[in-house]
Amino acid sequence: MRRSLFLAFADKSVGTLLSVGMMVIVSRLLTPAEVGLFLVASAAVILIETFRDFGVAACIVQERNLTPVIVRSAATIVTLLSAVFGVVVFTGAGWVAGFYGSPEIATLLQVAALGFLFAPISGVRLALLRRDMAFGAVAVIGISANLAGVLTAIALAAAGWGAVSLSWGSVATAAVAAIGALIARPAPEAFRPALAAWRQIVPFGFWSTLVTLLGILNESMPRLLLGRLLGFGAVGVFSRAVSLTQLPDKVLLGAAQPVVLSTFAARLREGGDLRQPCVTAFTIIASFQWPALACLAILADPIVAIMLGAQWTAVVPLLQVTAVAGMALFPATLIFPLLVSMGRIRDFALLNAVLVPLSMSALAVASTFGLSAVAWALVPVNVVQGAAMLWLAKRHAGFEIRALGAGLARAGAVTVAAAAVPMAVVLAAGRDPGMALTGLALGGAAGAWCACLFVVGNPLASEIAALAGRLVSRLPLRQRAGA
């Protein structure tokens, strides 16, 4: 599991760093309105992609008795849905453009629809690689695809293509992922049409799709509402605040979900339980996420200035609120793979069917009062969602609240330690201390975080010690003796 996590982390972290690099450069090449225009179009495409994927990847990973017929049926279903929804996006682009009063959206949607051509090639193959724990191949494919997309988007944006450059970047990403998956896992049998196993795929796909759809609606609704009510500039500013808030998850935790799903599913197939693994995983997630978000909120001014530039200063007050609100969602990384591995995805779907409409309603009301109100509305919305996820995890995994509380207390301690240095720098030098002091603050936060992990006995400390031990053991004997 550690090796798989490392490889998945390499994939996700490099991909995220490439995306961050693109965000830094593109934010200086495109206006907030152009970025917002793309984000509204991409939100619509992502909603359609949820139906297209139909939970097939998760179904393949968790299936206890995977047969060639199931693989062929899954590939056939993805191909049919990709064809149907690709046509829907392409032909419906004009209607969406009319709804928002922006003809440019039609072009963005029609370009993005080309990416649907590659989904049948990559989707099932990548799922098979993850099931086989072949995360090295998945990492190479993911990094190559992200690099192709980033370079394409930046080159076209620099050439003056505007918002559509980002759509072409997404198409390049999909194309390279398909080529890489085809090379790494040819699986020619997947191209033979079959629907014999549809009864095994469709019920799981329905609930998995419902969960994903509700989650994406919850995330995308602010963009869609703000684009309609406040314009694309507001979408760009708010989405940049949310994107920066999500960076710790994407860099540090995004790699964990596919590995956790595969590992939990394997553990259950072997007859084990998930009580202690859940407590440990929640503790480690909070120990990563909370300190990072606390530092992000404290150093919002210099981080926005360095990463986005002068035209994005309106992001700062929103980022300070969304970073704090994001702390409540630490269970989100684990809850989906946990319930999928246990075959309880239906319960998660039903819970989201209640929570997401309530959250969307709260954000819809808040959007009528402006961007700041939407950011503050995320605080109670995220707290309710996070608590509900923990309740559902406890119900099925059976861990003790006292054990989880002790783990989260350790995570809270390292958060306070990590935040102390940036807070001291801001109090001494002001809200925007400059690049040098910002680097010093982040370095001090990292050092205090690491030291506190060992002081409070955080489970992450043992993982760091084990990693250091393995690295030292691989050094030549002479170097170890000198050390």
Side-chain angles (χ1 to χ4, degrees):
M1 182 177 180
R2 288 189 179 98
R3 180 177 180 276
S4 297
L5 276 171
F6 174 78
L7 292 171
F9 175 77
D11 177 13
K12 294 296 183 180
S13 61
V14 172
T16 300
L17 290 175
L18 288 171
S19 298
V20 170
M22 183 177 73
M23 180 172 66
V24 170
I25 296 172
V26 168
S27 294
R28 289 162 170 80
L29 296 173
L30 303 180
T31 66
E34 288 176 317
V35 173
L37 180 67
F38 168 74
L39 291 172
V40 169
S42 66
V45 172
I46 290 171
L47 289 173
I48 298 296
E49 285 179 337
T50 303
F51 291 100
R52 182 203 67 193
D53 295 339
F54 204 63
V56 165
C59 180
I60 289 174
V61 172
Q62 64 85 43
E63 177 60 44
R64 300 197 176 194
N65 182 29
L66 189 67
T67 63
V69 173
I70 294 177
V71 174
R72 290 170 53 201
S73 299
T76 302
I77 290 172
V78 171
T79 301
L80 292 174
L81 292 176
S82 295
V84 171
F85 288 119
V87 172
V88 168
V89 172
F90 193 89
T91 58
W95 180 87
V96 177
F99 179 77
Y100 283 98
S102 174
E104 294 91 342
I105 286 187
T107 303
L108 269 66
L109 289 172
Q110 289 170 343
V111 170
L114 298 176
F116 283 56
L117 297 173
F118 304 103
I121 301 174
S122 60
V124 171
R125 290 174 173 82
L126 289 173
L128 290 170
L129 289 170
R130 291 191 178 99
R131 179 183 175 87
D132 296 338
M133 303 291 280
F135 288 99
V138 174
V140 171
I141 295 168
I143 292 170
S144 302
N146 281 315
L147 180 61
V150 167
L151 293 178
T152 300
I154 291 175
L156 294 179
W161 284 46
V164 76
S165 59
L166 300 175
S167 288
W168 279 113
S170 68
V171 174
T173 299
V176 173
I179 294 170
L182 190 59
I183 294 172
R185 193 70 155 79
E189 69 280 0
F191 279 108
R192 294 169 55 196
L195 289 173
W198 70 268
R199 289 182 179 85
Q200 292 173 259
I201 298 170
V202 170
F204 180 91
F206 172 79
W207 293 110
S208 179
T209 299
L210 182 58
V211 168
T212 307
L213 174 64
L214 291 171
I216 291 174
L217 276 174
N218 196 37
E219 182 177 340
S220 302
M221 191 52 61
R223 299 185 202 174
L224 301 174
L225 289 171
L226 292 174
R228 177 70 172 172
L229 297 174
L230 300 178
F232 298 118
V235 176
V237 170
F238 184 80
S239 296
R240 281 295 184 247
V242 173
S243 296
L244 290 174
T245 299
Q246 293 173 343
L247 273 182
D249 281 352
K250 291 181 178 179
V251 173
L252 301 173
L253 302 174
Q257 195 170 81
V259 178
V260 169
L261 173 56
S262 299
T263 305
F264 278 8
R267 184 181 180 91
L268 290 171
R269 286 197 295 266
E270 295 167 0
D273 67 69
L274 302 178
R275 285 177 292 182
Q276 186 56 45
C278 275
V279 172
T280 301
F282 278 132
T283 302
I284 290 176
I285 288 169
S287 299
F288 270 127
Q289 186 193 65
W290 291 354
L293 290 176
C295 293
L296 195 60
I298 295 168
L299 298 172
D301 283 270
I303 287 174
V304 169
I306 292 168
M307 297 193 68
L308 302 181
Q311 66 174 334
W312 296 88
T313 54
V315 171
V316 172
L318 302 179
L319 175 59
Q320 291 170 327
V321 178
T322 57
V324 174
M327 292 182 180
L329 293 180
F330 74 92
T333 300
L334 187 64
I335 188 68
F336 182 79
L338 169 65
L339 295 178
V340 168
S341 64
M342 300 184 76
R344 298 291 185 176
I345 190 64
R346 178 177 177 272
D347 292 355
F348 192 31
L350 293 175
L351 180 67
N352 277 343
V354 175
L355 291 177
V356 171
L358 294 176
S359 301
M360 290 167 52
S361 300
L363 295 177
V365 172
S367 66
T368 62
F369 296 94
L371 289 179
S372 181
V374 175
W376 280 106
L378 288 176
V379 176
V381 164
N382 288 358
V383 167
V384 172
Q385 289 185 340
M389 290 178 193
L390 281 179
W391 169 79
L392 196 58
K394 179 187 181 303
R395 179 183 176 189
H396 291 300
F399 57 80
E400 294 184 1
I401 290 295
R402 181 179 299 179
L404 178 63
L408 295 182
R410 294 187 179 94
V414 298
T415 301
V416 172
V421 178
M423 182 61 73
V425 170
V426 168
L427 291 176
R431 292 174 53 186
D432 191 354
M435 187 175 295
L437 285 178
T438 299
L440 177 64
L442 292 174
W449 172 79
C450 190
C452 191
L453 287 175
F454 288 90
V455 171
V456 302
N458 193 292
L460 190 54
S462 62
E463 294 296 324
I464 293 174
L467 176 61
R470 286 193 296 275
L471 292 176
V472 170
S473 68
R474 293 183 180 182
L475 292 174
L477 184 60
R478 183 179 300 175
Q479 288 182 268
R480 278 186 276 169

